[in-house]
Amino acid sequence: MTKSGNAPVRHATMRGRNLAVVLEHIARHQPVTRAGLAELTGFTKTTVSNLVGLLEGAGLVRDGAPVHEGERGRPGVGVSIAGDGAAGLGLEVNVDYLAACVLDLGKQVRYRHVVSADNRGRPSADVLGALAALAAEAVTAVAGQGLAVAGAAVALPGL
């Protein structure tokens, strides 16, 4: 790390990657204990506890019921994805419809709406305006469920 100011960026990038690794393992193995996450990721138990604490603070994961991971010792606390916080918005433009779908982090569909529309030859500004309205409708609908859309992806037809 240098004095040029790159250290904070590198640290933030590494922390982001580590958070993503822990979140991915929680999603795949939930409920999983912090000790189990340390084993799966290769991170120290302290690092895992700190990262899980950050994910909990962001509302992305939550503690659950005790989990027995072996024959001895007391059970650990299972960590699972919190399906009622952040969500992702998927938007699709097709030749004969527009669609919006919102998934929570638990991969549950929380909103889906398809609008029939002949988009062949339709001005792109009109298509994008209709898609923006559909996206706004989806965001509003899931906000009523306590979800916040944290990111979006758009699928477009073409080569």
Side-chain angles (χ1 to χ4, degrees), residues 21-130:
V21 167
V22 170
L23 187 61
E24 179 182 343
H25 281 290
I26 292 169
R28 286 187 181 175
H29 304 283
Q30 64 183 322
V32 60
T33 64
R34 286 163 178 77
L37 285 168
E39 191 173 310
L40 289 165
T41 62
F43 300 153
T44 66
K45 290 180 184 178
T46 301
T47 297
V48 167
S49 289
N50 289 336
L51 294 170
V52 168
L54 291 170
L55 293 169
E56 282 178 320
L60 302 177
V61 300
R62 69 170 137 244
D63 284 339
V67 175
H68 293 276
E69 289 185 323
E71 295 179 18
R72 297 185 187 151
R74 68 176 194 218
V77 176
V79 180
S80 298
I81 296 293
D84 56 356
L89 170 64
L91 299 167
E92 182 180 4
V93 176
N94 211 308
V95 293
D96 55 357
Y97 66 87
L98 299 174
C101 182
V102 177
L103 293 176
D104 64 25
L105 290 183
K107 300 180 185 173
Q108 299 298 310
V109 174
R110 302 293 287 270
Y111 178 88
R112 179 155 175 77
H113 189 86
V114 178
V115 177
S116 294
D118 185 3
N119 295 315
R120 292 174 194 88
R122 189 173 174 194
S124 58
D126 292 351
V127 173
L128 292 177

